Amino acid sequence: MIDFSQTADVVAPQLLGCVITHNGVSVRLTEVEAYLGSNDSAAHTYRGKTERNAAMFGPPGRLYVYFSYGIHHNGNIVCAPEGEGQGCLMRGGEVVAGEDLACERRQRPERAPIAFENLARGPGNLGQALGLTLPDNGTPVQLTQRDEEPDWVAGPRIGISKNADAPLRFWIPGDKTVSSPRGRPKRR
């Protein structure tokens, strides 16, 4: 059983292989990033609590949902003791239930069909597949624990400009649902 009161860098690899269920879709997590609050200049909570990031300071085991680049709803799982502002960004996963609903949420009529491995690949796509919205911010996460620990690696986070080299991105190597780039891993 994951203890979400642990720091994000401890919780993150424990999330790999677990299944999050939200709004009729279930996704097995294959890639996450840890954000360490006031000790991490890339964290939304680095400069303290605001109205936007308040859920990250709330009880662990809840969702922090935010609107990214005006187009995506990304989701973090809040961890660490309440008040710490830490969380794990859900970066990628495999849809294991609710595939039709995930496809409906992701597909645009003017585009070619989305490949299965891309349904929840990348934080915005994962959020869209799960149907995350801002009202989900602060709600308890529905997580099914994994049966066994998968092999995983850690490396630099991607898509950020601050503290990017910190080895706080965790993923299952070789999994097609992991977002790019997949390089520079450090074995556990």
Side-chain angles (χ1 to χ4, degrees), residues 48-73:
K49 189 175 181 178
T50 65
E51 186 177 334
R52 178 184 184 226
N53 70 19
M56 282 278 274
F57 290 90
R62 296 183 178 261
L63 289 172
Y64 164 54
V65 179
Y66 64 96
F67 203 42
S68 177
Y69 299 111
I71 54 173
H72 298 295
H73 287 97

Side-chain angles (χ1 to χ4, degrees), residues 35 40-43 46-47 157 160-166:
Y35 288 87
D40 183 354
S41 59
Y46 178 66
R47 291 200 166 106
R157 295 179 291 195
I160 59 173
S161 58
K162 296 177 182 174
N163 202 16
D165 288 333

Side-chain angles (χ1 to χ4, degrees), residues 1-187:
M1 184 65 106
I2 296 175
D3 177 4
F4 290 107
S5 68
Q6 298 176 92
T7 58
D9 57 331
V10 172
V11 171
Q14 295 177 51
L15 291 171
L16 296 172
C18 292
V19 175
I20 182 169
T21 300
H22 192 77
N23 289 333
V25 173
S26 297
V27 173
R28 180 181 65 88
L29 296 172
T30 59
E31 179 184 14
V32 296
E33 287 181 346
Y35 288 87
L36 303 174
S38 62
N39 297 320
D40 183 354
S41 59
H44 286 189
T45 56
Y46 178 66
R47 291 200 166 106
K49 189 175 181 178
T50 65
E51 186 177 334
R52 178 184 184 226
N53 70 19
M56 282 278 274
F57 290 90
R62 296 183 178 261
L63 289 172
Y64 164 54
V65 179
Y66 64 96
F67 203 42
S68 177
Y69 299 111
I71 54 173
H72 298 295
H73 287 97
N74 294 348
N76 285 258
I77 298 175
V78 177
C79 38
E82 193 166 346
E84 292 287 317
Q86 295 190 28
C88 296
L89 173 67
M90 298 180 287
R91 282 203 57 86
E94 174 191 10
V95 175
V96 295
E99 181 180 346
D100 290 343
L101 185 54
C103 285
E104 183 180 311
R105 289 175 178 155
R106 291 280 338 277
Q107 190 62 55
R108 293 199 177 106
E110 69 277 6
R111 293 192 179 164
I114 295 170
F116 176 78
E117 64 269 12
N118 292 333
L119 283 175
R121 183 178 175 192
N125 295 334
L126 191 149
Q128 191 173 17
L130 290 173
L132 292 178
T133 61
L134 292 179
D136 296 320
N137 199 26
T139 61
V141 68
Q142 285 187 285
L143 196 72
T144 303
Q145 304 291 314
R146 61 193 184 196
D147 292 328
E148 59 185 50
E149 180 179 14
D151 287 334
W152 56 270
V153 293
R157 295 179 291 195
I158 57 177
I160 59 173
S161 58
K162 296 177 182 174
N163 202 16
D165 288 333
L168 295 173
R169 178 174 162 248
F170 304 84
W171 69 95
I172 297 173
D175 194 293
K176 291 181 179 182
T177 64
V178 172
S179 58
S180 297
R182 296 181 184 96
R184 297 180 14 207
K186 294 181 181 180
R187 294 258 174 212

